[in-house]
Amino acid sequence: MAEKYLMKGNEALAEAAIRAGCRIYFGYPITPQTELAAYMAKRMPKIGGVFVQAESEIAAINMVYGAAAAGKRVMTSSSSPGISLKQEGISYLAGSDLPALIVNVQRGGPGLGGIQPSQSDYFQATKGGGHGDYHRIVLTPASVQEMADLTGLAFDLADKYRVPSMILADGTIGQMMEPVEIREEEPHVFEKPWALTGTQMKRPHNVVNSLYLDPEELEQTNIDRFARYAQIEASEARWEEYMMEDAEYCLVAFGIASRVAKNAVVSLRAKGIKAGLIRPITVWPFPKEALAKAADRVKGFLSVELSMGQMIEDVKLATGCRKPVALCSRAGGLIPGPDQIIAAAEELAGGR
Amino acid sequence: MKRLSLFCGHYGSGKTNIAVNYAIRLRGQGLKVTIADLDIVNPYFRTRDSEDELRKAGVGFLTLPYANTNIDMPTVPSEAYALFRPETGHCVLDIGGDDRGAYVLGQFAPFIREENDYDMFFVVNFFRPLTPTPEKALEVMREIEAACGIGFTAIINNSNLGSWTEIGEVRRSGALADELSRLSGLPVAFTSVREDIAGEGDFPLRLQKNSWR
């Protein structure tokens, strides 16, 4: 029945990945992202794709490394503890300049934590996570529709810049059901002359590797890679502004937190407080310019998060601490309610 | 009216919502009703989310011990056996999605077949991506029957697009439900529709609310 469906976020992401030309998936089940693997298990065999439930998350990410080196669009997905296990492999992907998509449907932590939604892997996602100097592009969907829309983009950006990319979702966005339009589009195809596809005895062989015996050479790969990161920071930051035109107080929130924050903005305006929202869609690169510009106009910022306060550091850096930045958050799998956000914004606005 | 009402179907087809509304409606008819959450697949979106409403209506309540907690442990309490004793009265059973969810019924199938006083409803939403056609829905139906060892007795058409649902689309899905009925030889028990747009003859559904809509 047409291209409109009622889908879980996890399913929408899986279907969007298939539409984006991903035919290879390696994963391991973990709540709350299991539907994603289950969907791939059902669909991949019917469309000539590959689904492998690996023996562990570590095995899965190293299978991703292999498929990416062969030039294929490949993804893996997990939730927080499983993403921690994948960090070594992600560092190797970055060090070998391999594009791949890693999906994190976050749950509460640290440790085994719990199965309720969270955003407390923000530091891990945006500041590295594994060892070495590297970044990955991190996109944060705030609806089931965006679980679909940002997935194709994440593959494209990964291929374009030869970096691993990540969808940083949370348990709520992964589990909730919403209507979604899956667009029929031809996947974008990127030339990958570096891929290990067999020389046919017609060209010198390619090497995919992250080991360098010569420190000068290793330094140079880092410098070259950071030139690419600078390009990404200059052109790929994405964000949404909501009621920011005349805002005096700027809420900053991504993912599920941004949806509650949006409702809070409307309520705050009804109470006479001119609130607005900046919703980062990429958290690396962080929308620094948007925040810096807002700092010229607003009286204060409120970072709304499902963590003990992680993105708030990037808000402070982006605004140069020119205006007060307050935190409104819940942790452990809980979501700040509109009333909590309203109270925190009122306090920021002068303890009314 | 059969003593047992079993709600099975594809993952995310709307079983829990319908089961909750169905139990409250039976209770409204003056019947002694117990609702049982036997979903061993999904730790979220449970009948327990409607616990207050159910208790207020006077519906008995049986849930898995770890539902809505941080423990994703699909265990069935021994109290569940009481559901299959006639003196318990009417029971509404909310079963997990797909064949994986239906396995939970296997241990109870001999009691259900022996008593032979049950309806097993196949809940279908033709807007779900893996059941867009009657043929694909029939596949899921057969997988569930094979997993639990019990045959369906009727179909519930719960076709909807969440907040995008328009009544015209629901009506158009009727033809798909009729075709599934023809293929399976089972009647369509009813069409369930969000209460604000439901029409005459529809089964009206009250949905849960939350803070991020």
Side-chain angles (χ1 to χ4, degrees), chain A residues 3-71:
Chain A
E3 65 288 272
K4 279 183 198 163
Y5 296 108
L6 185 68
M7 294 179 100
K8 276 185 175 259
N10 288 334
E11 297 170 338
L13 195 157
E15 182 60 35
I18 289 168
R19 305 280 175 122
C22 173
R23 290 292 178 276
I24 306 181
Y25 172 92
F26 305 110
Y28 189 83
I30 179 172
T31 308
Q33 67 81 52
T34 301
E35 294 81 10
L36 215 164
Y39 195 92
M40 290 301 199
K42 276 215 153 94
R43 287 273 282 137
M44 282 301 194
K46 292 181 181 168
I47 53 173
V50 175
F51 166 88
V52 178
Q53 179 173 322
E55 66 269 35
S56 73
E57 288 87 349
I58 297 170
I61 192 69
N62 285 293
M63 292 173 186
V64 167
Y65 184 99

Side-chain angles (χ1 to χ4, degrees), chain A:
Chain A
M1 223 148 79
E3 65 288 272
K4 279 183 198 163
Y5 296 108
L6 185 68
M7 294 179 100
K8 276 185 175 259
N10 288 334
E11 297 170 338
L13 195 157
E15 182 60 35
I18 289 168
R19 305 280 175 122
C22 173
R23 290 292 178 276
I24 306 181
Y25 172 92
F26 305 110
Y28 189 83
I30 179 172
T31 308
Q33 67 81 52
T34 301
E35 294 81 10
L36 215 164
Y39 195 92
M40 290 301 199
K42 276 215 153 94
R43 287 273 282 137
M44 282 301 194
K46 292 181 181 168
I47 53 173
V50 175
F51 166 88
V52 178
Q53 179 173 322
E55 66 269 35
S56 73
E57 288 87 349
I58 297 170
I61 192 69
N62 285 293
M63 292 173 186
V64 167
Y65 184 99
K72 297 295 183 187
R73 275 211 159 165
V74 56
M75 71 180 279
T76 184
S77 63
S78 190
S79 180
S80 308
I83 295 292
S84 289
L85 284 166
K86 291 182 194 291
Q87 292 304 321
E88 180 194 51
I90 296 171
S91 169
Y92 277 53
L93 284 165
S96 304
D97 300 311
L98 289 176
L101 175 59
I102 300 112
V103 177
N104 183 0
V105 184
Q106 297 167 91
R107 56 188 250 180
L112 203 46
I115 62 170
Q116 304 300 336
S118 166
Q119 297 179 330
S120 54
D121 303 347
Y122 180 93
F123 283 153
Q124 184 194 55
T126 58
K127 311 293 175 191
H131 59 281
D133 281 317
Y134 77 94
H135 286 292
R136 66 204 132 188
I137 295 172
V138 185
L139 298 147
T140 62
S143 65
V144 174
Q145 184 68 56
E146 278 195 346
M147 284 289 257
D149 295 346
L150 296 183
T151 297
L153 178 65
F155 275 119
D156 286 351
L157 292 175
D159 278 345
K160 182 176 176 187
Y161 294 102
R162 286 184 67 182
V163 295
S165 64
M166 173 175 271
I167 299 276
L168 187 68
D170 65 76
T172 312
I173 298 286
Q175 288 294 324
M176 69 201 284
M177 287 181 82
E178 285 185 325
V180 54
E181 208 166 8
I182 301 281
R183 283 182 265 284
E184 220 28 272
E185 268 176 59
E186 278 302 301
H188 302 137
V189 178
F190 290 77
E191 291 298 317
K192 296 180 177 177
W194 46 264
L196 311 185
T197 54
T199 64
Q200 315 285 329
M201 308 295 277
K202 286 174 188 157
R203 61 165 172 82
H205 68 271
N206 289 334
V207 176
V208 170
N209 172 47
S210 67
L211 171 68
Y212 294 87
L213 301 181
D214 172 9
E216 272 81 17
E217 196 186 347
L218 177 55
E219 183 189 44
Q220 194 55 50
T221 65
N222 274 284
I223 291 168
D224 293 346
R225 198 169 296 120
F226 268 69
R228 249 182 307 140
Y229 290 158
Q231 243 184 315
I232 295 170
E233 289 209 76
S235 47
E236 303 299 348
R238 285 167 168 80
W239 71 92
E240 180 199 352
E241 298 193 7
Y242 180 68
M243 295 198 177
M244 280 301 295
E245 299 78 17
D246 61 341
E248 293 181 346
Y249 295 93
C250 176
L251 277 58
V252 189
F254 68 94
I256 191 67
S258 71
R259 294 176 60 148
V260 190
K262 247 184 200 176
N263 290 338
V265 163
V266 174
S267 304
L268 283 162
R269 287 198 170 241
K271 290 178 154 210
I273 295 176
K274 284 188 180 165
L277 170 72
I278 292 179
R279 172 173 78 92
I281 296 171
T282 54
V283 286
W284 196 88
F286 194 70
K288 292 179 191 168
E289 265 188 49
L291 270 295
K293 262 190 205 159
D296 295 336
R297 298 181 274 126
V298 305
K299 295 176 182 165
F301 292 87
L302 183 67
S303 189
V304 184
E305 308 180 45
L306 273 65
S307 71
M308 293 304 289
Q310 300 191 10
M311 181 179 66
I312 187 171
E313 295 192 2
D314 280 336
V315 177
K316 286 179 178 172
L317 282 170
T319 58
C321 295
R322 281 180 288 148
K323 299 286 165 62
V325 184
L327 174 70
C328 173
S329 81
R330 295 294 297 273
L334 298 167
I335 300 174
D339 293 346
Q340 187 191 347
I341 300 173
I342 291 163
E346 283 178 331
E347 198 181 319
L348 179 70
R352 289 206 285 175

